[in-house]
Amino acid sequence: MNMISTIESNDINNIKSEIDFDTEVLEYLNARGYVRRGQLVNYLMNTHPNELGYSKKTINRKLAFMTETGIITSLKRDELQKYGIKEPDGRASYLIPIKILKMKEDLDKTISYLDSADVKTKKLILKEIARSEKKYVLDPCQLDNLAKYLDAEDDEVVDSLLKILFRYITEKGIEPSNTDRFLEILRSTLKHYKVSPDKYPMLRRHITWLLGYYKDSFVIDQLKMDAETLDDLSSVKCDYCDLLIAPFIDEHSLDLFNFQMELTLQGKERASEIISEIKDEASNPKPRLTEF
């Protein structure tokens, strides 16, 4: 191979390396919406240990070039709040793909339509939001805004909202920024549903699993209330059996045992047996099989 061919080959390899780097960065950012710069740098260094072009200095240089060429940008400090980012370190820098900025504007607008939409339009809006997950990740503030509509009177709307929130929290690791308010809304919604509507068997289940995920004691209170008020506690047994809620049920084993003794004295042996079964499940939780 002559010198010219060698130079051309090196140039091609360098270009390919830059493209691969840009693609990897965008895939990482697109899956999360935005990422703290230091977290991204550490991720790239850890996934490419001792690899040429992935030193801290080189990564930062490449990220700077992606910023200069308009592929990504840094969120300004006064922009963090509207994304639900709680950042005590004022020096922290968050990177986001440029195209995500426009998508956020579009999704914010779409979510705002829920304020005045009728039931049919709400369903259409929620389908559009769910569809957007293929190319856009909702941020914590947007999840806050969606949670506000869990007081809807239509079961399908509530079910659709819960599916979106459940996916983001338990699968994507993205949570509403105002946790206290979110839990308050979940409690209020659970009070409205003594059992899940026939067409939406996962509705109530998603609420109890999320409350268990957040270790909210209201879910234990609800289980006790169900045992005392429902004719057949087994109708909601699955609401309290899942990997997410199991650790919290297990933590309250003694509390629930004391309650079981009360139920037995009241002649509600069957309800006490169901709670024993729920506790058994919590001690040895099975992988989730239900699709939703």
Side-chain angles (χ1 to χ4, degrees):
M1 182 181 293
N2 60 37
M3 185 176 294
I4 293 176
S5 297
T6 301
I7 292 173
E8 289 178 347
S9 177
N10 288 338
D11 288 342
I12 291 172
N13 289 335
N14 289 336
I15 292 171
K16 184 179 183 300
S17 176
E18 294 293 338
I19 292 173
D20 290 345
F21 179 87
D22 291 0
T23 300
E24 183 174 9
V25 167
L26 286 175
E27 286 178 350
Y28 188 79
L29 291 175
N30 286 335
R32 294 158 180 79
Y34 56 80
V35 172
R36 192 170 179 172
R37 186 188 188 96
Q39 177 184 336
L40 175 59
V41 172
N42 288 337
Y43 165 79
L44 292 168
M45 291 176 65
N46 291 334
T47 52
H48 299 272
N50 304 316
E51 189 173 326
L52 188 64
Y54 283 88
S55 67
K56 186 173 184 178
K57 182 178 179 180
T58 304
I59 290 171
N60 278 313
R61 177 182 59 77
K62 291 180 178 180
L63 291 176
F65 183 73
M66 290 180 72
T67 302
E68 291 169 8
T69 53
I71 300 174
I72 61 175
T73 188
S74 295
L75 291 174
K76 297 180 177 62
R77 187 174 179 181
D78 60 358
E79 293 179 312
L80 299 184
Q81 187 174 358
K82 71 178 183 179
Y83 285 85
I85 300 173
K86 300 174 183 177
E87 182 52 70
D89 185 354
R91 298 168 299 175
S93 171
Y94 283 80
L95 298 176
I96 186 170
I98 289 290
K99 70 174 185 177
I100 294 293
L101 295 176
K102 177 63 168 62
M103 290 182 185
K104 176 176 172 57
E105 291 180 8
D106 291 346
L107 263 295
D108 283 342
K109 189 69 174 176
T110 301
I111 292 171
S112 73
Y113 293 152
L114 289 168
D115 281 335
S116 56
D118 58 21
V119 171
K120 287 185 179 179
T121 308
K122 277 186 170 69
K123 293 176 183 178
L124 180 64
I125 291 169
L126 292 175
K127 286 179 181 178
E128 184 66 20
I129 291 170
R131 187 181 299 111
S132 74
E133 289 183 44
K134 296 178 181 178
K135 55 184 178 180
Y136 177 83
V137 180
L138 295 172
D139 61 56
C141 276
Q142 289 171 325
L143 296 183
D144 285 340
N145 289 331
L146 285 179
K148 293 188 304 185
Y149 301 99
L150 284 173
D151 63 355
E153 294 182 4
D154 186 85
D155 294 337
E156 184 179 343
V157 170
V158 176
D159 186 62
S160 296
L161 283 165
L162 284 167
K163 284 179 179 177
I164 293 171
L165 291 163
F166 190 83
R167 279 198 302 273
Y168 269 85
I169 293 168
T170 66
E171 296 177 17
K172 300 179 186 292
I174 300 173
E175 305 179 13
S177 66
N178 191 338
T179 304
D180 291 340
R181 177 57 182 153
F182 179 56
L183 291 176
E184 183 181 325
I185 293 171
L186 286 178
R187 295 184 208 112
S188 177
T189 307
L190 182 57
K191 289 177 183 177
H192 184 71
Y193 290 97
K194 291 185 178 180
V195 295
S196 287
D198 290 340
K199 289 185 178 180
Y200 310 103
M202 296 303 299
L203 189 154
R204 191 177 188 270
R205 208 163 294 173
H206 280 149
I207 302 173
T208 55
W209 291 355
L210 283 172
L211 288 170
Y213 172 84
Y214 282 103
K215 296 186 178 298
D216 190 298
S217 60
F218 185 81
V219 75
I220 302 298
D221 296 336
Q222 185 64 47
L223 173 55
K224 293 178 180 179
M225 188 182 303
D226 288 343
E228 291 179 325
T229 61
L230 294 178
D231 292 335
D232 181 12
L233 184 60
S234 65
S235 64
V236 296
K237 175 185 170 182
C238 289
D239 295 359
Y240 301 97
C241 298
D242 186 76
L243 290 169
L244 281 176
I245 199 172
F248 194 58
I249 294 290
D250 214 28
E251 285 177 19
H252 287 77
S253 183
L254 178 58
D255 179 18
L256 289 172
F257 175 69
N258 291 332
F259 178 64
Q260 285 179 262
M261 289 194 290
E262 293 177 20
L263 288 174
T264 302
L265 291 174
Q266 296 171 23
K268 297 181 178 179
E269 289 89 351
R270 179 55 182 157
S272 177
E273 290 174 8
I274 297 298
I275 292 179
S276 285
E277 292 173 8
I278 289 171
K279 289 163 59 181
D280 288 342
E281 290 275 353
S283 298
N284 186 28
K286 301 177 181 64
R288 188 182 307 138
L289 299 178
T290 307
E291 293 183 2
F292 51 85

